[in-house]
Amino acid sequence: MYNSKITGLGFYVPDNVITNDDLSKMMDTNDEWIQERTGIKERHWIPEGSDDTSATMGAKAAKIAIERAGLSKDDIDFIVFATLSPDYYFPGCGVQIQDMLELPTIGAIDIRNQCSGFVYALSTADQFIKTGMYKNILVIGSEYHSNGLDKTTRGRGVGVLFGDGAGACVLSRTEDNTKGILSTHLHSQGKYADKLVVHSPSIKNWVPKIIASNGEDISYFPYMDGTFVFKHAVVRFSEAIMEGLTANNLTVNDLDMFIPHQANLRISQFVQRKFKLRDDQIYNNIMQYGNTTAASIIIALTEAWEKGKIKDNDLIVLAAFGSGFTWGSVVIRW
Ligand code: UT7
């Protein structure tokens, strides 16, 4: 059986930085509350009038990843695109990437698993490589949150958390079974779907219903029961890490770098304390980007790699938890 290995990484965020003070001009919030509860200092939001979308940001990140992998567009065999904020209700963003990057008419799928989207996407790509079906797969996580947030005081519990951005990697076939993705682990628990959700537009709750509600229907803004999600997140993050390590007969002592989905700095710090990780064993960048959902892990992995924090042979664990609920982990020998 083949193994799979990340051979190129890239990320893109819009230039437009929104600080916590900027938000306090839109709603009743303040820098102290946001930093104390979440660790977030600023986030990047696509400015009005920009042509950027989840698909275009994904394409920009993907271009960098393909170049760094030393490949050309004709080498890419398949596209896996994770997002909860696609440009269209359908089709998905994956097919837009095929067109935007002028790739051959290869297959493309979208993954709808929110904050766990990138872990699910990487796991999906990993299966296609390990079975021998494809050699080089473009895996993208991208989110355009800012256009879908309630930016009034009514939505402040969620609106201050999310940022826009994209990350991408090329996952390639290798015959070296000591390096690359060692294992992936995926979970879901749909009974908590309503705890972190955007209810509409959906076929169940379609446009005429929203228009008839006279602008008072908040079902098209994200809703989160923050405390409930937080409590589950700390448990599931810990389980996901342990499951990944145990499956490979490893322990926390073997871990060189843990890259958590950037949901809340307090969640990352809880996990760090629980597993007694040193500061150089965990990478956080929620302070600068907010929560970018399916893009957060791949942006963090790319940034950590660019800063030289990931070295040959390092043991890396990626873990995510979020809406669904969904959660999971990926164990990588770099
Ligand atoms: O990425 C997917 C997974 N997501 C997560 O894992 C997120 C998990 N949850 C969280 O990170 C936290 O629950 C939040 C950051 C969302 C909220 O923090 P919290 O400490 O749980 O605050 P809270 O929701 O209990 O709200 C506390 C108070 C409330 O006021 P009262 O009722 O105590 O008077 C809120 O109305 O803070 C108020 N509040 C705000 N105040 C200023 C809520 N949002 C804001 C805000 N600015 N933006």
Side-chain angles (χ1 to χ4, degrees), residues 28-30 33-34 37-38 115 156-157 160-162 196 224 226-227 229-230 233 261 263-264 266-267 291 321-323:
D28 179 14
T29 189
N30 57 77
W33 190 97
I34 300 172
R37 307 277 177 143
T38 72
C115 302
R156 68 182 180 173
V160 302
L161 304 175
F162 293 97
L196 179 42
M224 173 163 66
T227 314
V229 174
F230 192 102
H261 159 56
N264 184 323
R266 284 163 57 213
I267 295 176
N291 180 348
F321 171 84
S323 160

Side-chain angles (χ1 to χ4, degrees), residues 88-92:
Y88 305 128
Y89 187 79
F90 71 82

Side-chain angles (χ1 to χ4, degrees), residues 82-83 111-118 120 187-188 293 322-323 326:
T83 188
I111 299 277
R112 295 278 309 269
N113 285 77
Q114 301 70 247
C115 302
S116 309
F118 195 76
Y120 269 78
H187 295 278
S188 71
T293 312
S323 160
T326 55

Side-chain angles (χ1 to χ4, degrees), residues 207-328:
V207 177
K209 214 166 155 186
I210 295 173
I211 293 171
S213 76
N214 219 359
E216 270 146 40
D217 181 357
I218 55 165
S219 69
Y220 47 88
F221 290 123
Y223 164 79
M224 173 163 66
D225 181 341
T227 314
F228 189 87
V229 174
F230 192 102
K231 282 182 187 154
H232 283 254
V234 291
V235 174
R236 298 307 190 187
F237 266 109
S238 305
E239 285 177 6
I241 298 167
M242 280 317 294
E243 184 179 21
L245 291 172
T246 309
N248 293 284
N249 295 319
L250 297 164
T251 72
V252 174
N253 296 332
D254 299 304
L255 188 59
D256 294 298
M257 181 59 85
F258 171 49
I259 301 196
H261 159 56
Q262 303 291 296
N264 184 323
L265 191 61
R266 284 163 57 213
I267 295 176
S268 298
Q269 288 167 339
F270 177 94
V271 175
Q272 180 177 2
R273 276 195 305 275
K274 178 166 180 179
F275 291 110
K276 299 188 173 62
L277 300 178
R278 298 183 311 272
D279 286 348
D280 64 309
Q281 284 176 296
I282 183 165
Y283 191 77
N284 289 303
N285 61 7
I286 191 170
M287 303 74 94
Q288 275 73 48
Y289 302 109
N291 180 348
T292 57
T293 312
S296 93
I297 286 185
I298 184 60
I299 291 177
L301 179 64
T302 305
E303 198 175 67
W305 175 80
E306 285 177 354
K307 288 182 176 171
K309 291 178 186 293
I310 291 174
K311 297 171 292 303
D312 194 36
N313 223 36
D314 274 357
L315 184 80
I316 297 160
V317 173
L318 317 176
F321 171 84
S323 160
F325 290 157
T326 55
W327 64 98

Side-chain angles (χ1 to χ4, degrees), residues 128-143:
F128 280 117
I129 301 261
K130 285 189 170 144
T131 56
M133 186 159 173
Y134 295 128
K135 279 189 183 162
N136 298 297
I137 302 180
L138 200 48
V139 188
I140 301 167
S142 183
E143 302 288 3

Side-chain angles (χ1 to χ4, degrees), residues 118-183:
F118 195 76
V119 164
Y120 269 78
L122 208 51
S123 178
T124 303
D126 184 46
Q127 312 312 313
F128 280 117
I129 301 261
K130 285 189 170 144
T131 56
M133 186 159 173
Y134 295 128
K135 279 189 183 162
N136 298 297
I137 302 180
L138 200 48
V139 188
I140 301 167
S142 183
E143 302 288 3
Y144 180 10
H145 283 306
S146 57
N147 206 31
L149 297 171
D150 181 354
K151 300 189 188 91
T152 68
T153 299
R154 185 181 64 179
R156 68 182 180 173
V158 173
V160 302
L161 304 175
F162 293 97
D164 302 334
C169 72
V170 177
L171 196 68
S172 302
R173 179 191 289 181
T174 168
E175 298 193 11
D176 178 358
N177 281 320
T178 63
K179 293 270 183 76
I181 295 188
L182 302 183
S183 64

